[in-house]
Coordinates of all heavy atoms in Angstrom, one line a residue:
M117 N 138.1 69.0 137.1 CA 136.7 69.3 137.2 C 136.0 68.6 136.1 O 136.4 68.6 134.9 CB 136.6 70.8 137.1 CG 135.2 71.3 137.0 SD 134.8 72.9 137.5 CE 135.5 74.0 136.3
S118 N 134.9 67.9 136.4 CA 134.1 67.2 135.4 C 133.1 68.2 134.8 O 132.9 69.3 135.2 CB 133.4 66.1 136.0 OG 132.3 66.6 136.8
G119 N 132.5 67.8 133.7 CA 131.5 68.6 133.0 C 130.3 69.0 133.8 O 129.7 70.0 133.6
T120 N 130.0 68.2 134.8 CA 128.9 68.5 135.7 C 129.2 69.5 136.7 O 128.3 70.0 137.4 CB 128.4 67.2 136.4 OG1 129.5 66.6 137.1 CG2 127.9 66.2 135.3
D121 N 130.4 69.9 136.9 CA 130.8 70.9 137.9 C 130.7 72.3 137.4 O 130.9 73.2 138.1 CB 132.2 70.6 138.4 CG 132.3 69.3 139.2 OD1 131.3 68.8 139.6 OD2 133.4 68.7 139.2
K122 N 130.5 72.5 136.1 CA 130.6 73.8 135.5 C 129.2 74.5 135.7 O 128.2 73.9 135.7 CB 130.8 73.7 134.0 CG 132.2 73.2 133.7 CD 132.4 73.1 132.2 CE 133.8 72.5 131.9 NZ 134.0 72.3 130.5
T123 N 129.3 75.8 135.9 CA 128.1 76.6 136.1 C 127.7 77.0 134.7 O 128.5 77.4 133.8 CB 128.4 77.9 136.9 OG1 128.9 77.5 138.2 CG2 127.2 78.7 137.1
V124 N 126.4 76.9 134.4 CA 125.8 77.3 133.1 C 125.2 78.6 133.2 O 124.4 78.9 134.2 CB 124.8 76.2 132.7 CG1 124.2 76.6 131.4 CG2 125.4 74.9 132.6
F125 N 125.5 79.5 132.3 CA 125.0 80.8 132.3 C 124.1 81.0 131.0 O 124.6 80.6 129.9 CB 126.0 81.9 132.3 CG 126.8 81.9 133.6 CD1 128.1 81.3 133.6 CD2 126.3 82.5 134.7 CE1 128.8 81.3 134.8 CE2 127.1 82.6 135.9 CZ 128.3 81.9 135.9
M126 N 122.9 81.5 131.1 CA 122.1 81.7 130.0 C 122.6 83.0 129.3 O 122.9 84.0 130.0 CB 120.6 81.9 130.4 CG 120.1 80.7 131.1 SD 118.8 79.8 130.3 CE 117.8 80.9 129.4
T127 N 122.6 83.0 128.0 CA 122.9 84.3 127.3 C 121.6 85.0 126.9 O 120.5 84.4 127.0 CB 123.7 84.0 126.0 OG1 122.9 83.2 125.1 CG2 125.0 83.2 126.3
S128 N 121.8 86.2 126.4 CA 120.6 86.9 126.1 C 119.9 86.4 124.8 O 118.8 86.7 124.5 CB 120.9 88.4 125.8 OG 121.9 88.5 124.8
T129 N 120.5 85.5 124.1 CA 119.9 84.9 122.9 C 119.1 83.6 123.2 O 118.4 83.1 122.3 CB 121.0 84.6 121.8 OG1 121.9 83.7 122.4 CG2 121.7 85.8 121.4
E130 N 119.2 83.1 124.4 CA 118.5 81.9 124.7 C 117.1 82.2 125.2 O 116.9 83.1 126.1 CB 119.3 81.1 125.7 CG 120.6 80.6 125.2 CD 121.4 79.8 126.2 OE1 120.7 79.2 127.1 OE2 122.6 79.8 126.1
D131 N 116.1 81.5 124.7 CA 114.7 81.5 125.2 C 114.1 82.9 125.2 O 113.3 83.2 126.0 CB 114.6 80.9 126.6 CG 114.9 79.5 126.6 OD1 114.6 78.8 125.6 OD2 115.5 79.0 127.6
A132 N 114.6 83.8 124.4 CA 114.0 85.1 124.3 C 113.1 85.2 123.0 O 113.5 84.7 122.0 CB 115.1 86.2 124.1
P133 N 111.9 85.7 123.2 CA 111.0 85.7 122.1 C 111.6 86.7 121.0 O 112.1 87.7 121.3 CB 109.7 86.3 122.6 CG 110.0 86.8 124.0 CD 111.3 86.2 124.4
A134 N 111.4 86.3 119.8 CA 111.9 87.1 118.7 C 111.1 86.9 117.4 O 110.6 85.8 117.3 CB 113.4 86.9 118.4
T135 N 111.2 87.8 116.5 CA 110.6 87.6 115.2 C 111.7 87.2 114.3 O 112.8 87.3 114.6 CB 110.0 88.9 114.7 OG1 111.0 89.9 114.7 CG2 108.8 89.4 115.5
P136 N 111.3 86.6 113.1 CA 112.3 86.2 112.1 C 113.1 87.5 111.8 O 112.6 88.6 111.8 CB 111.5 85.7 111.0 CG 110.2 85.3 111.5 CD 110.0 86.2 112.7
G137 N 114.4 87.3 111.4 CA 115.3 88.4 111.2 C 114.8 89.4 110.1 O 115.1 90.6 110.2
W138 N 114.1 88.9 109.1 CA 113.7 89.8 108.0 C 112.5 90.7 108.3 O 112.2 91.6 107.6 CB 113.3 88.9 106.8 CG 112.2 87.9 107.1 CD1 112.4 86.6 107.5 CD2 110.8 88.1 107.1 NE1 111.2 86.0 107.7 CE2 110.2 86.9 107.5 CE3 110.0 89.2 106.8 CZ2 108.8 86.7 107.5 CZ3 108.6 89.0 106.9 CH2 108.0 87.8 107.2
V139 N 111.9 90.4 109.5 CA 110.7 91.2 109.8 C 111.0 92.7 110.1 O 110.3 93.5 109.6 CB 109.9 90.6 111.0 CG1 108.8 91.4 111.5 CG2 109.4 89.2 110.7
E140 N 112.1 92.9 110.8 CA 112.4 94.3 111.1 C 112.6 95.1 109.8 O 112.1 96.3 109.7 CB 113.7 94.4 112.0 CG 113.4 94.0 113.4 CD 114.5 94.3 114.3 OE1 115.1 95.4 114.3 OE2 114.8 93.4 115.2
S141 N 113.4 94.6 108.9 CA 113.6 95.4 107.7 C 112.4 95.6 106.9 O 112.1 96.6 106.3 CB 114.8 94.8 106.8 OG 114.4 93.5 106.4
S142 N 111.5 94.6 106.8 CA 110.2 94.7 106.1 C 109.3 95.7 106.8 O 108.7 96.5 106.1 CB 109.5 93.3 106.1 OG 110.3 92.4 105.4
L143 N 109.3 95.7 108.1 CA 108.5 96.7 108.8 C 109.1 98.1 108.6 O 108.3 99.0 108.4 CB 108.5 96.4 110.3 CG 107.7 97.3 111.2 CD1 106.2 97.4 110.8 CD2 107.8 97.0 112.7
D144 N 110.4 98.2 108.6 CA 111.0 99.5 108.4 C 110.6 100.1 107.0 O 110.3 101.3 106.9 CB 112.5 99.5 108.6 CG 112.9 99.3 110.0 OD1 112.1 99.5 110.9 OD2 114.1 98.9 110.2
A145 N 110.6 99.2 106.0 CA 110.2 99.7 104.7 C 108.7 100.1 104.7 O 108.4 101.1 104.0 CB 110.4 98.5 103.7
I146 N 107.9 99.4 105.4 CA 106.4 99.8 105.5 C 106.3 101.1 106.2 O 105.6 102.0 105.7 CB 105.6 98.7 106.2 CG1 105.6 97.4 105.4 CG2 104.2 99.2 106.6 CD1 105.0 96.2 106.1
L147 N 107.0 101.3 107.3 CA 106.8 102.5 108.1 C 107.4 103.7 107.3 O 107.0 104.8 107.6 CB 107.5 102.3 109.5 CG 106.8 101.3 110.4 CD1 107.5 101.2 111.7 CD2 105.3 101.7 110.6
A148 N 108.4 103.5 106.5 CA 109.0 104.6 105.7 C 108.0 105.2 104.8 O 108.2 106.3 104.3 CB 110.2 104.0 104.9
T149 N 106.9 104.5 104.5 CA 105.9 105.1 103.6 C 105.0 106.1 104.3 O 104.2 106.8 103.7 CB 105.0 104.0 102.9 OG1 104.3 103.3 103.9 CG2 105.9 103.0 102.2
L150 N 105.1 106.1 105.6 CA 104.2 107.0 106.4 C 104.8 108.4 106.5 O 106.0 108.6 106.3 CB 104.1 106.5 107.9 CG 103.4 105.1 108.0 CD1 103.4 104.7 109.5 CD2 102.0 105.1 107.5
P151 N 103.9 109.4 106.6 CA 104.3 110.8 106.6 C 104.8 111.3 108.0 O 104.6 112.4 108.4 CB 103.0 111.5 106.3 CG 101.9 110.7 106.9 CD 102.4 109.3 106.7
F152 N 105.6 110.4 108.7 CA 106.1 110.7 110.0 C 107.6 110.4 110.0 O 108.0 109.4 109.4 CB 105.4 109.9 111.1 CG 103.9 110.0 111.1 CD1 103.1 109.0 110.7 CD2 103.3 111.2 111.4 CE1 101.8 109.0 110.7 CE2 101.9 111.3 111.4 CZ 101.1 110.2 111.0
P153 N 108.4 111.2 110.7 CA 109.8 110.9 110.8 C 110.1 109.6 111.6 O 109.3 109.3 112.5 CB 110.4 112.1 111.5 CG 109.3 112.9 112.2 CD 108.0 112.4 111.5
A154 N 111.2 109.0 111.2 CA 111.5 107.7 111.8 C 111.7 107.8 113.3 O 111.3 106.8 114.1 CB 112.8 107.1 111.2
E155 N 112.2 108.9 113.8 CA 112.4 109.0 115.3 C 111.1 109.1 116.0 O 111.0 108.6 117.2 CB 113.4 110.2 115.6 CG 112.8 111.5 115.2 CD 113.2 112.0 113.8 OE1 113.9 111.2 113.1 OE2 112.9 113.1 113.5
K156 N 110.1 109.6 115.4 CA 108.7 109.6 116.0 C 108.1 108.3 116.0 O 107.3 107.9 116.9 CB 107.8 110.7 115.4 CG 108.3 112.1 115.7 CD 107.1 113.0 115.6 CE 107.6 114.4 115.9 NZ 106.7 115.1 116.7
L157 N 108.4 107.5 114.9 CA 107.8 106.2 114.8 C 108.5 105.1 115.6 O 107.9 104.1 115.9 CB 107.9 105.8 113.3 CG 106.9 106.5 112.4 CD1 107.2 106.2 110.9 CD2 105.5 106.2 112.7
A158 N 109.8 105.4 116.0 CA 110.6 104.4 116.7 C 109.9 103.7 117.9 O 109.9 102.4 117.9 CB 111.9 105.0 117.1
P159 N 109.3 104.4 118.8 CA 108.7 103.7 119.9 C 107.5 102.8 119.5 O 107.3 101.8 120.1 CB 108.3 104.8 120.9 CG 108.4 106.1 120.2 CD 109.3 105.9 119.0
F160 N 106.7 103.3 118.5 CA 105.6 102.5 118.1 C 106.1 101.3 117.4 O 105.6 100.2 117.5 CB 104.7 103.4 117.1 CG 104.2 104.6 117.7 CD1 104.8 105.8 117.5 CD2 103.1 104.6 118.6 CE1 104.3 107.0 118.1 CE2 102.6 105.7 119.2 CZ 103.3 107.0 118.9
R161 N 107.1 101.4 116.5 CA 107.8 100.3 115.8 C 108.3 99.3 116.8 O 108.0 98.1 116.7 CB 108.9 100.8 115.0 CG 109.8 99.8 114.4 CD 111.2 100.4 114.0 NE 112.1 99.4 113.4 CZ 112.9 98.7 114.1 NH1 112.9 98.7 115.4 NH2 113.7 97.8 113.4
N162 N 109.0 99.7 117.8 CA 109.6 98.8 118.8 C 108.5 98.0 119.6 O 108.6 96.8 119.8 CB 110.5 99.5 119.7 CG 111.7 100.0 119.0 OD1 112.1 99.6 117.9 ND2 112.4 101.1 119.6
S163 N 107.4 98.7 119.9 CA 106.3 98.1 120.7 C 105.6 97.0 119.8 O 105.3 95.9 120.3 CB 105.3 99.1 121.1 OG 105.8 99.9 122.1
Y164 N 105.4 97.3 118.5 CA 104.8 96.4 117.6 C 105.7 95.2 117.4 O 105.2 94.0 117.5 CB 104.6 97.1 116.3 CG 103.9 96.2 115.2 CD1 102.7 95.7 115.3 CD2 104.7 95.9 114.1 CE1 102.1 94.9 114.3 CE2 104.1 95.1 113.1 CZ 102.8 94.6 113.2 OH 102.3 93.8 112.2
L165 N 107.0 95.4 117.3 CA 107.9 94.2 117.1 C 107.9 93.4 118.4 O 107.9 92.2 118.3 CB 109.3 94.7 116.8 CG 109.6 95.2 115.4 CD1 110.9 95.9 115.2 CD2 109.4 94.1 114.4
D166 N 107.9 94.0 119.5 CA 107.9 93.3 120.8 C 106.6 92.5 120.9 O 106.6 91.3 121.4 CB 107.9 94.2 122.0 CG 109.3 94.8 122.2 OD1 110.3 94.3 121.6 OD2 109.4 95.8 123.0
C167 N 105.5 93.1 120.5 CA 104.2 92.4 120.5 C 104.2 91.1 119.6 O 103.9 90.0 120.0 CB 103.1 93.3 120.1 SG 101.4 92.6 120.2
L168 N 104.7 91.3 118.4 CA 104.8 90.2 117.4 C 105.7 89.1 118.0 O 105.4 87.9 117.8 CB 105.4 90.7 116.1 CG 104.5 91.6 115.2 CD1 105.2 92.0 113.9 CD2 103.2 90.9 114.9
A169 N 106.9 89.5 118.6 CA 107.8 88.5 119.1 C 107.2 87.7 120.2 O 107.5 86.6 120.4 CB 109.1 89.2 119.6
G170 N 106.2 88.3 121.0 CA 105.6 87.6 122.1 C 104.4 86.7 121.7 O 103.9 86.0 122.5
C171 N 104.1 86.8 120.4 CA 103.0 85.9 119.9 C 103.5 84.5 119.9 O 104.6 84.1 119.5 CB 102.6 86.3 118.5 SG 101.8 87.9 118.3
G172 N 102.6 83.6 120.4 CA 102.9 82.2 120.5 C 102.9 81.5 119.1 O 102.6 82.1 118.1
R173 N 103.3 80.3 119.1 CA 103.3 79.5 117.9 C 102.1 78.6 117.9 O 102.2 77.4 117.9 CB 104.6 78.7 117.7 CG 105.8 79.6 117.7 CD 105.9 80.4 116.3 NE 107.1 81.2 116.2 CZ 107.1 82.5 116.1 NH1 105.9 83.1 116.2 NH2 108.2 83.1 116.0
T174 N 100.9 79.2 118.1 CA 99.7 78.4 118.3 C 98.8 78.5 117.0 O 99.1 79.3 116.1 CB 98.9 78.9 119.5 OG1 98.5 80.2 119.2 CG2 99.8 78.9 120.7
E175 N 97.7 77.8 117.1 CA 96.7 78.0 116.0 C 96.1 79.3 116.0 O 95.5 79.8 115.0 CB 95.6 76.9 116.2 CG 96.1 75.5 115.9 CD 95.1 74.4 116.2 OE1 93.9 74.8 116.2 OE2 95.4 73.3 116.3
D176 N 96.2 80.0 117.1 CA 95.6 81.3 117.3 C 96.5 82.5 116.9 O 96.3 83.6 117.4 CB 95.1 81.5 118.7 CG 93.7 82.2 118.8 OD1 93.1 82.4 117.7 OD2 93.3 82.5 119.9
L177 N 97.6 82.2 116.2 CA 98.6 83.2 115.8 C 98.0 84.4 115.1 O 98.3 85.5 115.4 CB 99.7 82.5 115.0 CG 100.9 83.4 114.6 CD1 101.6 83.8 115.9 CD2 101.9 82.6 113.8
D178 N 97.0 84.1 114.2 CA 96.4 85.2 113.5 C 95.7 86.2 114.4 O 95.8 87.4 114.2 CB 95.4 84.7 112.5 CG 96.1 84.0 111.3 OD1 97.3 84.3 111.1 OD2 95.5 83.2 110.6
S179 N 95.0 85.7 115.4 CA 94.3 86.6 116.4 C 95.3 87.4 117.2 O 95.1 88.5 117.6 CB 93.3 85.9 117.2 OG 93.9 85.0 118.1
E180 N 96.4 86.8 117.5 CA 97.5 87.5 118.3 C 98.1 88.6 117.4 O 98.3 89.7 117.9 CB 98.6 86.5 118.7 CG 98.1 85.5 119.8 CD 99.1 84.6 120.3 OE1 100.3 85.0 120.4 OE2 98.8 83.5 120.6
H181 N 98.3 88.3 116.1 CA 98.8 89.3 115.2 C 97.8 90.4 115.1 O 98.2 91.6 115.0 CB 99.1 88.7 113.8 CG 100.4 87.9 113.8 ND1 100.7 87.1 112.7 CD2 101.4 87.7 114.7 CE1 101.9 86.5 113.0 NE2 102.3 86.9 114.1
D182 N 96.5 90.1 115.0 CA 95.5 91.1 114.9 C 95.6 92.1 116.1 O 95.4 93.3 115.9 CB 94.1 90.4 114.9 CG 93.8 89.7 113.6 OD1 94.5 89.9 112.6 OD2 92.8 89.0 113.5
A183 N 95.8 91.5 117.2 CA 95.8 92.4 118.4 C 97.0 93.3 118.4 O 96.9 94.5 118.7 CB 95.9 91.5 119.7
C184 N 98.2 92.8 117.9 CA 99.4 93.7 117.8 C 99.1 94.8 116.7 O 99.4 95.9 117.0 CB 100.6 92.8 117.3 SG 101.1 91.6 118.5
R185 N 98.5 94.4 115.6 CA 98.3 95.4 114.5 C 97.3 96.5 115.0 O 97.5 97.7 114.8 CB 97.8 94.7 113.3 CG 97.5 95.7 112.1 CD 97.0 95.0 110.9 NE 96.8 93.5 110.9 CZ 95.7 92.9 111.3 NH1 94.6 93.5 111.6 NH2 95.7 91.6 111.3
K186 N 96.2 96.0 115.6 CA 95.2 97.0 116.1 C 95.8 97.9 117.2 O 95.5 99.1 117.2 CB 94.0 96.2 116.6 CG 93.2 95.6 115.5 CD 92.0 94.7 116.0 CE 91.3 94.1 114.9 NZ 90.3 93.2 115.3
G187 N 96.6 97.4 118.0 CA 97.3 98.2 119.0 C 98.2 99.3 118.4 O 98.2 100.4 118.8
L188 N 99.0 98.9 117.4 CA 99.8 99.8 116.7 C 99.0 100.9 116.0 O 99.3 102.1 116.1 CB 100.7 99.1 115.7 CG 101.6 100.0 114.8 CD1 102.6 100.8 115.6 CD2 102.3 99.2 113.7
L189 N 98.0 100.5 115.3 CA 97.1 101.5 114.6 C 96.5 102.5 115.5 O 96.5 103.7 115.2 CB 96.1 100.7 113.7 CG 96.7 99.9 112.5 CD1 95.6 99.0 111.9 CD2 97.3 100.8 111.5
L190 N 96.0 102.0 116.6 CA 95.4 102.9 117.6 C 96.4 103.8 118.2 O 96.2 105.0 118.4 CB 94.7 102.0 118.7 CG 94.0 102.9 119.8 CD1 92.9 103.7 119.2 CD2 93.4 101.9 120.9
A191 N 97.6 103.3 118.5 CA 98.6 104.1 119.1 C 99.1 105.2 118.1 O 99.3 106.4 118.5 CB 99.8 103.3 119.5
L192 N 99.2 104.9 116.8 CA 99.6 105.8 115.8 C 98.5 106.9 115.6 O 98.8 108.1 115.4 CB 99.9 105.2 114.5 CG 101.2 104.4 114.5 CD1 101.3 103.6 113.2 CD2 102.4 105.3 114.6
K193 N 97.2 106.5 115.7 CA 96.1 107.4 115.5 C 96.1 108.4 116.7 O 96.0 109.6 116.6 CB 94.8 106.6 115.5 CG 93.6 107.5 115.4 CD 92.3 106.7 115.3 CE 91.1 107.7 115.4 NZ 90.2 107.4 116.4
D194 N 96.2 107.8 117.9 CA 96.2 108.7 119.1 C 97.5 109.5 119.3 O 97.4 110.6 119.7 CB 96.0 107.8 120.4 CG 94.6 107.2 120.4 OD1 93.7 107.6 119.6 OD2 94.4 106.3 121.3
G195 N 98.6 108.8 119.1 CA 99.9 109.5 119.3 C 100.4 110.4 118.2 O 101.1 111.4 118.5
L196 N 100.1 110.1 117.0 CA 100.6 110.9 115.9 C 99.5 111.5 115.0 O 99.7 112.0 113.9 CB 101.6 110.1 115.0 CG 102.8 109.6 115.7 CD1 103.7 108.8 114.8 CD2 103.6 110.8 116.3
S197 N 98.2 111.3 115.4 CA 97.1 111.8 114.7 C 97.1 111.3 113.2 O 96.8 112.0 112.3 CB 97.0 113.3 114.7 OG 97.0 113.8 116.0
M198 N 97.3 110.0 113.1 CA 97.3 109.4 111.8 C 95.9 109.4 111.2 O 95.0 109.0 111.9 CB 97.9 108.0 111.8 CG 98.0 107.3 110.5 SD 98.9 105.7 110.5 CE 97.8 104.8 111.6
D199 N 95.7 109.8 110.0 CA 94.4 109.9 109.4 C 93.9 108.5 109.0 O 94.7 107.6 108.8 CB 94.3 110.9 108.2 CG 95.2 110.4 107.1 OD1 94.8 109.5 106.3 OD2 96.3 111.0 106.9
A200 N 92.6 108.4 108.7 CA 91.9 107.1 108.4 C 92.4 106.5 107.1 O 92.6 105.3 107.0 CB 90.4 107.3 108.4
Q201 N 92.7 107.3 106.1 CA 93.2 106.8 104.8 C 94.6 106.2 105.0 O 94.8 105.1 104.5 CB 93.2 107.9 103.8 CG 93.6 107.4 102.4 CD 93.5 108.5 101.4 OE1 93.2 109.6 101.6 NE2 93.9 108.1 100.1
T202 N 95.4 106.9 105.7 CA 96.8 106.4 105.9 C 96.7 105.1 106.8 O 97.5 104.1 106.5 CB 97.7 107.4 106.6 OG1 97.7 108.6 105.8 CG2 99.1 107.0 106.8
A203 N 95.9 105.1 107.8 CA 95.7 103.9 108.7 C 95.3 102.7 107.9 O 95.8 101.6 108.1 CB 94.7 104.2 109.8
R204 N 94.3 102.9 107.0 CA 93.8 101.7 106.2 C 94.9 101.2 105.3 O 95.1 99.9 105.2 CB 92.6 102.1 105.3 CG 92.0 101.0 104.6 CD 91.5 99.9 105.5 NE 91.2 98.7 104.8 CZ 91.5 97.5 105.1 NH1 92.1 97.2 106.3 NH2 91.2 96.4 104.4
A205 N 95.7 102.0 104.6 CA 96.8 101.6 103.8 C 97.9 100.8 104.6 O 98.4 99.8 104.2 CB 97.4 102.8 103.0
L206 N 98.2 101.4 105.8 CA 99.1 100.7 106.7 C 98.6 99.4 107.2 O 99.3 98.4 107.2 CB 99.4 101.7 107.9 CG 100.3 101.1 109.0 CD1 101.7 100.7 108.4 CD2 100.5 102.1 110.1
E207 N 97.3 99.3 107.5 CA 96.7 98.1 108.0 C 96.9 97.0 106.9 O 97.2 95.9 107.3 CB 95.3 98.3 108.3 CG 94.6 97.1 108.9 CD 93.2 97.3 109.4 OE1 92.5 98.2 108.9 OE2 92.8 96.6 110.3
Q208 N 96.7 97.3 105.7 CA 96.8 96.3 104.6 C 98.2 95.8 104.5 O 98.4 94.6 104.3 CB 96.3 96.9 103.3 CG 94.8 97.1 103.3 CD 94.3 97.9 102.1 OE1 95.1 98.5 101.4 NE2 93.0 97.8 101.8
K209 N 99.2 96.7 104.6 CA 100.6 96.3 104.5 C 101.0 95.4 105.7 O 101.7 94.5 105.6 CB 101.5 97.5 104.4 CG 101.3 98.3 103.1 CD 102.1 99.6 103.1 CE 101.8 100.4 101.9 NZ 102.4 101.7 101.9
L210 N 100.5 95.8 106.9 CA 100.8 95.0 108.1 C 100.2 93.6 108.1 O 100.8 92.7 108.5 CB 100.4 95.8 109.4 CG 101.1 97.1 109.7 CD1 100.5 97.8 110.9 CD2 102.6 96.8 109.9
E211 N 98.9 93.6 107.5 CA 98.3 92.3 107.4 C 99.1 91.3 106.5 O 99.3 90.2 106.8 CB 96.9 92.4 106.8 CG 95.9 93.0 107.8 CD 94.5 93.3 107.2 OE1 94.4 93.4 105.9 OE2 93.6 93.6 107.9
K212 N 99.7 91.9 105.4 CA 100.5 91.1 104.5 C 101.8 90.6 105.2 O 102.2 89.5 105.1 CB 100.9 92.0 103.3 CG 101.9 91.4 102.4 CD 101.4 90.2 101.5 CE 102.4 89.8 100.5 NZ 103.4 88.9 100.9
L213 N 102.4 91.5 106.0 CA 103.6 91.2 106.8 C 103.3 90.0 107.7 O 104.0 89.1 107.8 CB 104.1 92.4 107.5 CG 105.3 92.2 108.5 CD1 106.5 91.8 107.7 CD2 105.5 93.4 109.3
E214 N 102.1 90.1 108.4 CA 101.8 89.1 109.4 C 101.5 87.8 108.7 O 101.8 86.7 109.3 CB 100.6 89.6 110.2 CG 101.0 90.8 111.1 CD 99.8 91.6 111.6 OE1 98.6 91.2 111.3 OE2 100.0 92.7 112.2
L215 N 100.9 87.8 107.5 CA 100.6 86.6 106.8 C 102.0 85.9 106.4 O 102.1 84.7 106.5 CB 99.8 86.9 105.5 CG 98.3 87.1 105.7 CD1 97.7 87.6 104.4 CD2 97.6 85.9 106.3
D216 N 102.9 86.8 106.0 CA 104.2 86.2 105.7 C 104.9 85.6 106.9 O 105.6 84.6 106.8 CB 105.1 87.3 105.1 CG 104.7 87.8 103.7 OD1 103.9 87.1 103.1 OD2 105.1 88.9 103.3
I217 N 104.7 86.2 108.1 CA 105.3 85.7 109.3 C 104.6 84.4 109.6 O 105.3 83.4 109.9 CB 105.1 86.7 110.5 CG1 105.9 87.9 110.3 CG2 105.4 86.0 111.8 CD1 105.6 89.1 111.3
S218 N 103.3 84.3 109.5 CA 102.6 83.1 109.8 C 103.0 81.9 108.8 O 103.1 80.8 109.2 CB 101.1 83.3 109.7 OG 100.6 84.2 110.7
A219 N 103.2 82.3 107.6 CA 103.6 81.3 106.6 C 105.0 80.7 106.9 O 105.2 79.5 106.7 CB 103.6 81.9 105.2
G220 N 105.8 81.5 107.6 CA 107.1 81.0 107.9 C 107.2 80.4 109.3 O 108.2 79.8 109.7
A221 N 106.1 80.5 110.1 CA 106.1 80.0 111.5 C 106.1 78.5 111.6 O 105.7 77.8 110.7 CB 104.9 80.6 112.3

């Protein structure tokens, strides 16, 4: 059998959107400062990471990150009744995280 006769299978690591490996641990550290248990934050965390991973590598990366952050903040406000002061502090930390992602993109 020649090399051209082999069937090629894609693995789950190919062509899947993802954030840099350090982003999850950085986000977990940020979320640990919130007054909510990790299990309640988990679905919000995962949605935010999925959103970040789906952001393209375009000149408009900042606006895509903004949309992810605003979505997370709104979801936390609506879903966990996060207060405005906590939301503002979280927003600043997330903005820094997103700048770090953009710097490495």
Side-chain angles (χ1 to χ4, degrees):
M117 174 157 68
S118 72
T120 58
D121 296 336
K122 295 180 182 176
T123 303
V124 177
F125 297 99
M126 301 243 330
T127 66
S128 60
T129 58
E130 294 180 27
D131 295 328
T135 57
W138 56 267
V139 172
E140 286 190 44
S141 60
S142 295
L143 179 60
D144 289 342
I146 291 168
L147 295 178
T149 66
L150 296 177
F152 307 110
E155 62 271 4
K156 288 203 179 223
L157 290 170
F160 301 101
R161 171 199 180 272
N162 294 339
S163 291
Y164 178 66
L165 286 171
D166 287 346
C167 185
L168 290 177
C171 292
R173 300 289 181 242
T174 66
E175 291 178 19
D176 221 9
L177 186 59
D178 290 337
S179 67
E180 290 183 36
H181 284 169
D182 287 348
C184 294
R185 180 179 0 91
K186 289 175 183 177
L188 174 63
L189 293 169
L190 181 61
L192 288 170
K193 179 182 174 230
D194 292 348
L196 299 178
S197 301
M198 184 172 63
D199 64 75
Q201 183 178 358
T202 302
R204 183 63 193 137
L206 176 59
E207 183 174 28
Q208 291 171 343
K209 292 173 185 175
L210 294 175
E211 286 172 345
K212 169 76 169 86
L213 175 65
E214 293 161 6
L215 285 172
D216 292 344
I217 293 169
S218 294

